[in-house]
Amino acid sequence: MDIKYDFSSEFAIPISYGSSEVIETGKWGFEKPETAFMTAPCQETCPAGNAIPQFLYLAGEGRSKEALEAILKENPFPGVCGRVCFHPCENNCHRGQYDEVVSISAMERYIFDVTSNHHPDIHPISNADSKQVAVVGSGPAGLSAAYFLRLLGYRVTLFEARKELGGVMRWGIPEYRLPKSILKEEIERILQLSIDVKTGEKVGKEIPFEELDRFNAVFLSSGTGLSLSLGIEGEDLKKVWRGGDILDRINSGDKPRIGKEIIVIGGGNTAMDVARSALRLGSRVIVAYRRTRAEMPAIEDEIREAEEEGVRFEFLLLPVKISVLKNRRIRVKFQRMRLRGWDQSNRHKAIPIKGEFLTLEADGLIKAVGEGVDLSWIPETLSKNSLINVNSSLTTSNPKIFAGGDAIDQPRTIVTAIASGKKAAISIDLYLRGCTSEDVFSKIRVGNKGALSMEAYLSGRNGGNWSELKEVISYPQLNTLYFEHSKRVEMSKLNRNKALKGFSEVNLGLTSDEAGISASRCFSCGTCNYCYNCYFFCPEGLISLDPLHQTKTVDLDHCKGCGTCAKVCPRYVVLMKELS
Ligand SMILES: Cc1cc2nc3c(=O)[nH]c(=O)nc-3n(C[C@H](O)[C@H](O)[C@H](O)COP(=O)(O)OP(=O)(O)OC[C@H]3O[C@@H](n4cnc5c(N)ncnc54)[C@H](O)[C@@H]3O)c2cc1C
Ligand code: SF4
Ligand code: SF4
């Protein structure tokens, strides 16, 4: 029989003398929604384990100071990394599978730039048994280790051979990529934690190595320090310089006279920095590299910018002899090369083409073919294969001596140096408290690519109760239906003519509008960003969200387990779990 309702007249509805909330409809369901955050792929790929979706969310909400504090939990150098990190995080951004990757490093820089006078609320934990740790070398590895060791409550003494702190960030990378004022501000923030700094004191020279014995633990982060040579006739001629020396002079305020035409040999960061600096000193520059562009070890951004600025590249050339001409110019004889097979590092091998040579002339030549580790000041037992030798917890053969950065066997980049400083600080803390490290590392990892979380470490450090590891979210787990297509935002740049007139910073950062767009492009993979989808779609209105305190609650007493919230969550944060 068909039931017909007449809505024009009054109709009966069930009523109760009490609130209907007493009827706990939640007991009818078989499944309940659970909010569980996952690790975003960008975060997994950042060696420092930066909380990228969190800082993008906070910056997008105009809460840049909180965004800065979120970064500083894992990385003391947002201003540096936002400028010169090779940003592996962006290579793995899920947005790249949808349209174009999010401008993560530009956002990291933006957060630093707009909070420049903010003194973040970071304090060392109380460590009653505060022991003393020595850190040797003040590059990104040493400064990061000092920062995290201080946060862990240790008394830290930092030894630096040079008069100023910063390592390659200070003496290698030129001003047009990393202004000294930015580095200074980041270093000052670290030193505010009360680190005892000894500059102009080289361990092994002014300070005997044995003097480090008085410390409870030692971290060695002395970087490379040796320029590799070409091993050819003529490389000691007057107009042949080492790339590191030229950059050092420029970064000390000098303007070396290198001539109108310069040949730079090499394909790494030093070669690119020296070539672009030579352009700024008024020279025409040819970079000669023995492989092709694809094999160049320099950061891609740097190669592209060098090309845009007018550096000429000549590939598949190996210098074999340098000589001086009567007019005092130099002549370089190159062997022509071709690619064949692969070397141990999985790069194409360059082999000579028999009998084929090329000659180039210039006013000077700058060698930038790599750096070696200076081991002359450490006991022989600590080194192997021309590097400081460490195990997976960064411990050397001496259990109280640890090492990191460019001096050990790891990729030579700033963010990996920072990551090793953090890892060493955790290792040292575990060593000084008599705990084993491997077990702990597996509990505080960010994904599966080696990054560790200091925040996770601190959360479980005292009781040993680590929070559950978060899986890495895959692209198909996202519900991209809710996202609109949009273009990646790039930073604007100084006009080429202006850029080449001096050493002013080339990349100009994002405006606040551009930063807002960049932040909103992030899918926030695996992390709730309070988009309110679940709130709006829940048919029972049982979800409460508090973006300010970043909390979300579901009234489970009345949730029937329909699963709508999970279906509409774009970022796989709400999952339906069967009730037992
Ligand atoms: C020119 C150049 C440009 C680069 N550009 C980039 C880039 O854009 N992005 C990027 O990610 N990476 C870049 N890199 C690589 C990156 O800079 C390094 O990987 C990183 O700086 C290594 O950090 P570190 O702390 O191990 O060593 P370093 O930065 O080399 O610092 C080591 C410090 O230890 C000090 N020291 C050495 N021996 C002693 C001793 N016995 N006693 C006391 N102090 C000592 C040194 O004076 C120095 O200050 C670049 C490298 C170069 C050379
Ligand atoms: S430190 Fe480098 S890898 Fe990490 S978030 Fe910043 S730009 Fe990306
Ligand atoms: S969309 Fe956002 S959270 Fe997802 S990988 Fe890219 S930057 Fe990271």
Side-chain angles (χ1 to χ4, degrees):
M1 183 180 75
D2 279 356
I3 300 174
K4 294 225 164 73
Y5 293 106
D6 177 4
F7 289 106
S8 62
S9 63
E10 285 180 36
F11 62 96
I13 53 165
I15 57 162
S16 156
Y17 287 114
S19 157
S20 62
E21 287 199 354
V22 294
I23 307 166
E24 293 186 342
T25 47
K27 288 183 182 140
W28 304 351
F30 300 101
E31 286 187 323
K32 291 284 153 189
E34 257 186 36
T35 306
F37 288 9
M38 295 181 80
T39 299
C42 52
Q43 191 174 1
E44 177 188 39
T45 327
C46 166
N50 263 352
I52 296 167
Q54 283 88 345
F55 79 61
L56 290 174
Y57 164 71
L58 289 166
E61 293 292 297
R63 294 157 67 181
S64 297
K65 290 178 184 169
E66 288 166 74
L68 177 75
E69 280 162 19
I71 300 176
L72 293 177
K73 286 182 183 163
E74 304 298 344
N75 176 4
F77 284 108
V80 170
C81 289
R83 286 171 164 81
V84 295
C85 179
F86 73 116
H87 47 75
C89 53
E90 294 185 8
N91 299 342
N92 220 16
C93 168
H94 276 342
R95 178 108 209 185
Q97 296 188 49
Y98 188 65
D99 44 32
E100 291 178 314
V101 299
V102 175
S103 317
I104 303 171
S105 73
M107 280 303 293
E108 196 174 7
R109 168 185 168 149
Y110 172 82
I111 291 163
F112 171 85
D113 288 356
V114 294
T115 54
S116 96
N117 292 317
H118 172 57
H119 295 290
D121 197 19
I122 4 173
H123 301 287
I125 58 168
S126 72
N127 191 342
D129 185 24
S130 171
K131 295 188 166 119
Q132 291 198 53
V133 184
V135 172
V136 182
S138 71
L143 282 165
S144 300
Y147 171 80
F148 287 114
L149 283 162
R150 225 12 240 127
L151 290 184
L152 288 163
Y154 292 100
R155 284 184 284 152
V156 179
T157 305
L158 175 62
F159 295 97
E160 169 52 55
R162 306 288 304 255
K163 292 275 179 240
E164 282 180 49
L165 305 181
V168 173
M169 300 183 293
R170 170 67 186 82
W171 306 104
I173 301 180
E175 184 90 19
Y176 63 82
R177 289 207 294 132
L178 178 58
K180 305 287 167 261
S181 58
I182 303 295
L183 179 63
K184 190 164 169 259
E185 194 175 326
E186 302 237 75
I187 293 178
E188 273 168 10
R189 193 192 324 102
I190 296 171
L191 299 187
Q192 271 165 14
L193 293 171
S194 293
I195 290 162
D196 183 17
V197 175
K198 311 268 185 214
T199 46
E201 303 208 1
K202 182 168 182 187
V203 176
K205 197 173 168 206
E206 284 82 13
I207 310 278
F209 193 86
E210 298 68 43
E211 207 161 294
L212 301 177
D213 280 348
R214 71 183 168 88
F215 292 90
N216 300 95
V218 175
F219 178 62
L220 306 178
S221 51
S222 46
T224 47
L226 297 177
S227 286
L228 298 181
S229 57
L230 296 168
I232 59 171
E233 189 184 331
E235 77 171 297
D236 296 323
L237 288 169
K238 211 174 154 205
K239 288 188 175 181
V240 178
W241 299 282
R242 280 195 287 255
D245 293 347
I246 294 289
L247 290 175
D248 200 312
R249 284 173 64 186
I250 293 171
N251 281 308
S252 307
D254 192 8
K255 285 200 173 151
R257 287 154 61 118
I258 51 174
K260 281 191 182 147
E261 258 186 319
I262 286 294
I263 296 171
V264 175
I265 310 278
N269 289 322
T270 304
M272 293 307 96
D273 278 340
V274 97
R276 294 179 67 193
S277 296
L279 288 180
R280 285 162 173 79
L281 294 172
S283 311
R284 287 189 298 281
V285 184
I286 300 172
V287 168
Y289 178 55
R290 65 185 162 140
R291 296 185 173 97
T292 69
R293 191 188 187 288
E295 288 79 31
M296 283 176 71
I299 298 168
E300 172 58 28
D301 295 351
E302 265 246 79
I303 305 173
R304 201 184 48 248
E305 284 171 14
E307 287 168 339
E308 285 165 7
E309 287 178 355
V311 171
R312 186 177 132 199
F313 284 86
E314 293 288 344
F315 295 110
L316 296 166
L317 291 181
L318 181 76
V320 288
K321 187 180 170 188
I322 308 168
S323 49
V324 190
L325 302 170
K326 277 193 186 135
N327 60 5
R328 295 216 201 131
R329 276 167 62 89
I330 56 154
R331 173 181 286 160
V332 191
K333 182 177 176 191
F334 289 96
Q335 163 77 64
R336 284 198 188 275
M337 311 291 280
R338 68 188 166 95
L339 296 181
R340 206 175 117 190
W342 305 88
D343 68 11
Q344 283 170 336
S345 58
N346 250 351
R347 281 192 310 173
H348 271 301
K349 249 193 319 207
I351 55 162
I353 306 175
K354 213 173 160 199
E356 286 202 30
F357 296 93
L358 173 86
T359 303
L360 292 176
E361 288 178 15
D363 296 302
L365 180 139
I366 303 176
K367 306 180 276 183
V369 287
E371 290 86 24
V373 178
D374 177 8
L375 299 167
S376 60
W377 59 283
I378 61 164
E380 248 176 62
T381 48
L382 300 186
S383 66
K384 190 176 165 189
N385 298 334
S386 308
L387 296 165
I388 302 182
N389 188 31
V390 289
N391 64 17
S392 57
S393 60
L394 304 184
T395 317
T396 64
S397 57
N398 180 335
K400 70 180 253 189
I401 302 183
F402 300 74
D406 279 9
I408 66 167
D409 184 12
Q410 68 166 28
R412 290 183 175 170
T413 70
I414 288 176
V415 68
T416 40
I418 293 169
S420 71
K422 176 171 27 172
K423 186 173 192 181
I426 296 172
S427 276
I428 290 171
D429 184 47
L430 291 165
Y431 161 74
L432 293 177
R433 295 190 303 127
C435 314
T436 51
S437 50
E438 275 318 314
D439 192 30
V440 175
F441 287 154
S442 65
K443 293 178 176 143
I444 59 166
R445 60 188 165 82
V446 181
N448 307 307
K449 296 187 172 159
L452 299 177
S453 164
M454 180 57 83
E455 191 180 20
Y457 180 62
L458 287 171
S459 73
R461 179 180 180 267
N462 289 337
N465 298 321
W466 318 96
S467 36
E468 213 176 297
L469 271 178
K470 295 189 246 166
E471 292 299 312
V472 181
I473 185 166
S474 67
Y475 184 71
Q477 285 172 324
L478 294 170
N479 184 351
T480 52
L481 197 68
Y482 296 96
F483 304 127
E484 280 176 27
H485 285 273
S486 64
K487 286 220 146 303
R488 168 185 161 93
V489 185
E490 298 290 353
M491 284 186 266
S492 52
K493 282 182 199 281
L494 201 62
N495 149 302
R496 179 179 175 270
N497 289 340
K498 263 196 196 159
L500 294 184
K501 283 208 173 91
F503 283 76
S504 300
E505 190 170 19
V506 172
N507 289 313
L508 300 176
L510 298 173
T511 63
S512 63
D513 286 349
E514 289 168 340
I517 296 169
S518 291
S520 70
R521 292 188 70 247
C522 171
F523 290 162
S524 196
C525 307
T527 298
C528 175
N529 69 351
Y530 310 92
C531 71
Y532 279 89
N533 257 21
C534 56
Y535 173 88
F536 288 127
F537 284 97
C538 171
E540 310 287 341
L542 300 174
I543 296 177
S544 327
L545 292 166
D546 177 359
L548 191 63
H549 301 99
Q550 298 185 50
T551 55
K552 172 177 169 226
T553 47
V554 183
D555 174 0
L556 291 179
D557 284 346
H558 299 94
C559 163
K560 298 195 203 76
C562 69
T564 307
C565 53
K567 285 192 197 94
V568 299
C569 176
R571 35 197 65 84
Y572 206 62
V573 170
V574 187
L575 302 180
M576 296 308 289
K577 285 277 158 72
E578 229 170 85
L579 289 173
S580 50

